[in-house]
Amino acid sequence: MNRYGRPSGWEAPPDSGPRILLLGASGFVGGGLWSHLAPRHPVVGTYATRPVPGLVRLDLRDETRLAALAADGFDLVVHAAGLVPLEAAEADPALAHRLNVRPVEVLLDALRGTAAKLVLLSSDNVFDGTRPRYTEADPPSPVNVYGRTKAAAEDLLLAEGGHLVVRLPLVFGRGPWANTFLSRLAAPTTPARTDLVCAPVYLPSIGPALTRLWHHTGVLHYGGADVVTRFELMSRVQRALHLPTRVLPTRGPRPHADCPRPPHLVLRSTRHPLLGPGLDTALAHLAG
């Protein structure tokens, strides 16, 4: 194995395009990206605590290691790592800043003066959910700690210029290693809110979309074609996969939950025509 965890003698596929560093490749979204990118491009992926063969261990708080890895001649640095659970960020704002904002500062310092582009995966939670839809022209208005850290990270990257923010909504599907979404349907009952609306995007569609969008700079949105409530989404996934859980309609936050959630998050783009597949198409693929 070489120093990045690739088998010795590994070679990139022919005509493989940019050399990519994928931070957070062991996660749910990062794993989906890895599955698409690794067979097609020379990619170095990282994990934090969940070892995955072929990936390199990296703690985002190890700033020296993060900077050295990022500056090692990559064309693209795709940043899909950080503290994601909204409740965890709300409970520990300092940790959320340390994992979601500070690494972007380190990466920008490391890449400054190089030709490398940083692609930051961000979130629809940078908005407050009071509008029917959000485009790239709408100013961020976060209502929770997670959204505020993602907005702060975006500000750093956009102030630098030449880099790209891709905002994503709720992502659903089956990850190669982390099944964050399907784990929500693992219990005998699954509460799902009828008052939270989103345009969810299917995980396997993100990699192909990103390869069509990463030549852009600034901010881009990539959302799913269908607009549904959380209850509708979870119910349709449950039926498509014949899962034994019972999806229960709920309104409002769970008891003792103190993390504000934007009620209506629909991402649309004025800069490109891409949308994730409709639910019927995505669920047929997921169940196939």
Side-chain angles (χ1 to χ4, degrees), residues 112-168:
R112 192 170 292 119
T114 75
K117 176 185 286 187
L118 177 59
V119 179
L120 173 66
L121 299 189
S122 189
S123 168
D124 56 3
N125 270 267
V126 301
F127 299 115
D128 59 12
T130 61
R131 299 186 182 186
R133 59 181 56 198
Y134 290 91
T135 73
E136 295 91 348
D138 291 310
S141 51
V143 298
N144 53 46
V145 169
Y146 176 73
R148 287 193 285 273
T149 62
K150 298 304 284 187
E154 290 183 8
D155 287 344
L156 290 168
L157 184 144
L158 295 173
E160 189 80 12
H163 301 290
L164 175 64
V165 172
V166 179
R167 293 180 182 140
L168 299 173

Side-chain angles (χ1 to χ4, degrees), residues 144-217:
N144 53 46
V145 169
Y146 176 73
R148 287 193 285 273
T149 62
K150 298 304 284 187
E154 290 183 8
D155 287 344
L156 290 168
L157 184 144
L158 295 173
E160 189 80 12
H163 301 290
L164 175 64
V165 172
V166 179
R167 293 180 182 140
L168 299 173
L170 173 68
V171 179
F172 71 99
R174 181 182 290 109
W177 301 298
N179 269 308
T180 307
F181 177 80
L182 290 180
S183 66
R184 304 178 191 184
L185 291 153
T189 60
T190 301
R193 289 178 60 171
T194 60
D195 57 345
L196 294 182
V197 176
C198 58
V201 71
Y202 187 44
L203 177 62
S205 76
I206 298 176
L210 187 63
T211 62
R212 295 179 62 182
L213 297 174
W214 62 32
H215 66 281
H216 288 274
T217 60

Side-chain angles (χ1 to χ4, degrees), residues 238-250:
Q238 183 272 330
R239 291 194 298 269
L241 298 182
H242 306 289
L243 299 175
T245 189
R246 181 185 174 199
V247 181
L248 303 177
T250 64

Side-chain angles (χ1 to χ4, degrees), residues 1-2 11 22 27 30 78 111 113 133 146 163 188 195-196 220 284:
M1 304 288 282
N2 67 17
E11 294 181 359
L22 176 56
V78 180
L111 298 179
R133 59 181 56 198
Y146 176 73
H163 301 290
D195 57 345
L196 294 182
L220 294 178

Side-chain angles (χ1 to χ4, degrees), residues 77-101:
V77 176
V78 180
H79 186 15
L83 184 66
V84 175
L86 269 63
E87 292 84 359
E90 206 72 23
D92 194 340
L95 180 63
H97 187 278
R98 182 76 185 275
L99 293 177
N100 292 347
V101 182

